[in-house]
Amino acid sequence: MHIFLPIALTSVNLWLVVGLGLLVGLLSGLFGVGGGFLMTPLLMMIGIPPTVAAATDANQIVAASASGTLAHWRLGNVDFKMGLMLLIGGFTGGAIGVHVIKILRATGGADFLIKMTYVVMLGLVGAFMFFESLHALRKGPVTPVSKRSAESHAKLKGTKKSLWKSLPLQIYFDKSGVTHSALVPIGLGVFVGILAAIMGVGGGFLMVPVMIYMLRMPMHVVVGTSLFQIMFTCVEVTFLQAYSNHTVDFVLAILLLIGSTLGAQIGTVLGRKLKGDQLKILLAVIVLAVTVKMILGLVMAPSLLLAPGGGH
Amino acid sequence: MRHLLKGLAGGTLAPIAATTTFLLLFYAPGAFGVTCKIAPDRVAITLGYHGAKLSISGQSGPADGILIQIQSPPGQTHLKYKGKAAGFLWMKMGTMRFDNIPSLYMLYTTAPLDDLLKPEAQKKEGIGYAALKERMIIHSTRKFIDKALWTGEFIKFKEQENIYRIRPQAVHMAAGGGEFRLELDWPFEAPPGKYAVQVLAVQDGRVNGSASGSIRIEKTGVVEQLTQLATRRAAVYGLLAILVAIVAGIGVGLIFKNIGSH
């Protein structure tokens, strides 16, 4: 069964698109990532123009992340205080990143920077998560998510005071069980926001490791809080893309969100049954697979030397 | 013939009554009584649109073969070209603008093109890829442009998009001329617009008669309404898209909660 997309100007198989939504929604519920780094290339593979793929993906992520945030909020897994601070930083960083890209586009160095940032960040994040989780899995019996979070709290108490602890505006984030200066999540939000804007993605795959490894938040709170933050980022992106570029395809977004909202719910339930390190290693494998595909695309001679504008 | 095509491309059309019914578009006796009938000549893009089946048929005088050429008016296409950065990384390096070239080009014939028309005649009549390549103009941020390479790449790119094609022996014709018929699958990838159809009867390596028509592809119903909303009331469209996404997300969440509580 086919359906014509009014803005993408192409016809797609209805079930294929719903299936893609389901798959990416599943990842969203499991890992707290928007899945933009995966969905946009998949949409381009089925013939959606790059600009429409990126903008519409942001639209469907709003649905998946709203669905996921609700599910995690019911489980008590959303740290709204932390999410808000990351969001403030993320919005600021996003604005800076968009400006950087504008300047680079004018000088002609944008595409190179975008590609290299993508490969380096995906590769680093994927490799780090993979080896860290592998090490944890080998070390001993796997602890369930709930136990692990309690352990990480205890571990944190014993951690010596870092430089961050001497910063002003120290706040206790009770949901995550951590104390940080407000400047830390805001600053990290700015950093992720800049990179996300350069790469044209929501930044979930960067934000999740930042929360785990730098903010030392427990895994289950990371997922819920990341989804909460992604929802707002994608609301902003959807509106700007629809208003300025007319690239949001409503029909495509609806098909994707039918799948992704269901997937996000299934992912959340599944995530409760998996262990924290198993979740991390799974996400790491997906991120590394996308990185390898991108590297192959960069070093192998393309079959076509021309491409439509937009996208990566 | 060029004047006729220009007229068709730039002219305005009367409002459309029916879109999918079989109807006679254009009946133009050519120099040797060539006629052209396109059915349907107007195709509506609805939500279920996945391309269309079209037939082009007619009569010709004595002929060795028939050529049916379908194309959009010549215009500009902006693309990115790929090249090697840092000596080994393939990526988009800059922009390339292709001028004086149709965005869609299809050629259907009764026999291989070179068997019907000599290369010089193809260029003279503006038929086939060689003629397109010759009149194509390329502008680019790239310092040196190898025209043969990039015109070839352009055609490869368009063929991959499924809106450039040459299909020899797709047109069926009675021996020695007379009735001809082409059944064609109109690609859903072709954007809405008006496309000129040109039927040429060929004999002894020369065009000895022609007829013309057009195919109109247009968005209708919900597809058209959504396009209008997205372009003319973009803020409303954007807010609507966000609202639907949030409601759908929360709605599914609540359904799952209810399922989970039972």
Side-chain angles (χ1 to χ4, degrees):
Chain A
M1 188 178 174
H2 289 91
I3 194 153
F4 190 81
L5 308 173
I7 307 297
L9 286 180
T10 190
S11 171
V12 289
N13 185 302
L14 192 144
W15 304 116
L16 179 69
V17 176
V18 173
L20 283 183
L22 194 78
L23 176 78
V24 176
L26 200 72
L27 298 181
S28 188
L30 267 175
F31 309 120
V33 295
F37 72 98
L38 201 63
M39 180 65 98
T40 306
L42 287 174
L43 288 177
M44 282 159 63
M45 273 168 65
I46 61 165
I48 311 295
T51 49
V52 180
T56 308
D57 188 31
N59 190 190
Q60 75 84 21
I61 292 172
V62 172
S65 54
S67 175
T69 303
L70 184 72
H72 281 279
W73 172 68
R74 281 204 304 265
L75 296 169
N77 292 347
V78 183
D79 189 334
F80 288 104
K81 207 194 285 180
M82 184 72 87
L84 202 68
M85 291 191 178
L86 290 167
L87 203 57
I88 293 168
F91 272 24
T92 314
I96 298 169
V98 167
H99 201 66
V100 169
I101 283 291
K102 244 183 206 169
I103 295 168
L104 283 167
R105 284 215 191 280
T107 57
D111 280 338
F112 186 77
L113 179 84
I114 290 168
K115 281 271 185 195
M116 294 323 289
T117 310
Y118 226 112
V119 169
V120 170
M121 289 315 296
L122 278 174
L124 281 178
V125 167
F128 181 74
M129 283 184 77
F130 182 81
F131 289 113
E132 199 266 352
S133 313
L134 197 69
H135 180 69
L137 283 172
R138 276 184 180 168
K139 231 167 109 180
V142 179
T143 46
V145 172
S146 53
K147 275 189 192 170
R148 184 162 171 76
S149 73
E151 276 173 14
S152 70
H153 290 186
K155 217 174 168 185
L156 265 171
K157 279 181 191 167
T159 311
K160 60 180 178 182
K161 278 198 169 185
S162 65
L163 179 69
W164 288 2
K165 298 285 175 194
S166 60
L167 288 170
L169 301 169
Q170 292 290 328
I171 298 173
Y172 178 65
F173 297 89
D174 49 351
K175 191 67 83 181
S176 303
V178 294
T179 304
H180 286 295
S181 160
L183 299 175
V184 172
I186 293 175
L188 290 172
V190 171
F191 169 71
V192 172
I194 292 173
L195 289 177
I198 288 174
M199 290 185 275
V201 294
F205 77 94
L206 291 172
M207 193 59 95
V208 167
V210 159
M211 286 185 196
I212 299 170
Y213 301 111
M214 301 182 92
L215 295 173
R216 310 302 300 177
M217 290 163 67
M219 184 65 188
H220 64 284
V221 181
V222 165
V223 176
T225 311
S226 170
L227 286 173
F228 166 76
Q229 188 248 343
I230 284 168
M231 182 175 72
F232 283 96
T233 310
C234 288
V235 162
E236 185 203 18
V237 172
T238 302
F239 186 77
L240 291 177
Q241 291 281 20
Y243 188 72
S244 319
N245 302 330
H246 313 298
T247 42
V248 174
D249 196 305
F250 191 60
V251 176
L252 177 62
I254 286 181
L255 294 180
L256 290 172
L257 67 84
I258 288 171
S260 66
T261 47
L262 284 172
Q265 293 292 330
I266 298 167
T268 306
V269 175
L270 213 64
R272 286 160 69 189
K273 293 184 176 148
L274 286 172
K275 321 292 184 254
D277 287 319
Q278 289 174 336
L279 277 178
K280 275 191 269 177
I281 211 162
L282 258 175
L283 179 60
V285 167
I286 294 166
V287 169
L288 284 175
V290 174
T291 313
V292 169
K293 195 199 163 280
M294 283 199 76
I295 293 172
L296 287 177
L298 281 171
V299 295
M300 286 167 71
S303 60
L304 286 174
L305 292 176
L306 290 170
H312 306 314
Chain B
M1 182 53 62
R2 281 197 183 129
H3 290 295
L4 179 62
L5 285 174
K6 266 191 182 171
L8 272 170
T12 53
L13 278 178
I16 297 157
T19 55
T20 52
T21 50
F22 181 98
L23 59 97
L24 183 71
L25 166 72
F26 197 86
Y27 181 88
F32 289 90
V34 180
T35 65
C36 162
K37 196 163 69 176
I38 305 164
D41 68 318
R42 288 171 179 175
V43 177
I45 298 181
T46 57
L47 268 184
Y49 177 70
H50 190 63
K53 296 260 181 212
L54 302 183
S55 87
I56 299 173
S57 59
Q59 299 269 347
S60 74
D64 297 331
I66 294 287
L67 307 169
I68 299 177
Q69 187 170 244
I70 306 168
Q71 58 187 321
S72 59
Q76 288 183 351
T77 301
H78 294 260
L79 295 172
K80 295 251 184 186
Y81 68 87
K82 292 179 191 170
K84 277 186 183 175
F88 69 105
L89 298 171
W90 285 94
M91 53 180 71
K92 293 172 187 171
M93 302 293 281
T95 54
M96 215 170 251
R97 194 182 85 209
F98 296 85
D99 280 353
N100 199 32
I101 190 85
S103 67
L104 175 144
Y105 182 84
M106 298 174 184
L107 179 66
Y108 299 89
T109 63
T110 48
L113 183 58
D114 289 345
D115 293 355
L116 294 171
L117 281 178
K118 286 182 179 161
E120 302 79 52
Q122 291 174 26
K123 285 182 184 169
K124 188 184 153 211
E125 297 290 340
I127 293 166
Y129 287 160
L132 289 182
K133 285 178 179 177
E134 198 174 70
R135 58 180 198 243
M136 202 185 295
I137 301 161
I138 306 173
H139 301 275
S140 176
T141 50
R142 195 182 170 89
K143 279 178 193 153
F144 172 72
I145 301 169
D146 180 345
K147 195 179 175 188
L149 169 72
W150 292 107
T151 51
E153 284 296 323
F154 179 86
I155 285 166
K156 255 168 70 182
F157 173 79
K158 286 285 185 180
E159 281 188 334
Q160 187 127 325
E161 279 199 315
N162 204 21
I163 50 177
Y164 262 48
R165 55 173 76 151
I166 291 183
R167 299 271 193 273
Q169 295 165 306
V171 182
H172 302 285
M173 186 185 73
E179 282 185 12
F180 67 87
R181 186 172 189 86
L182 166 70
E183 301 289 341
L184 82 104
D185 288 317
W186 184 262
F188 63 80
E189 293 91 344
K194 189 181 176 191
Y195 300 96
V197 179
Q198 187 184 18
V199 178
L200 301 165
V202 177
Q203 194 167 30
D204 301 327
R206 286 169 50 203
V207 174
N208 71 351
S210 68
S212 304
S214 70
I215 298 166
R216 180 115 185 181
I217 311 292
E218 59 185 3
K219 295 179 182 176
T220 58
V222 180
V223 174
E224 173 61 7
Q225 284 163 8
L226 281 173
T227 307
Q228 292 295 332
L229 191 65
T231 49
R232 293 188 182 173
R233 302 181 73 187
V236 175
Y237 180 85
L239 290 173
L240 189 72
I242 291 165
L243 193 72
V244 168
I246 291 176
V247 169
I250 292 174
V252 171
L254 290 174
I255 292 167
F256 262 72
K257 184 191 171 191
N258 291 337
I259 291 169
S261 64
H262 281 93

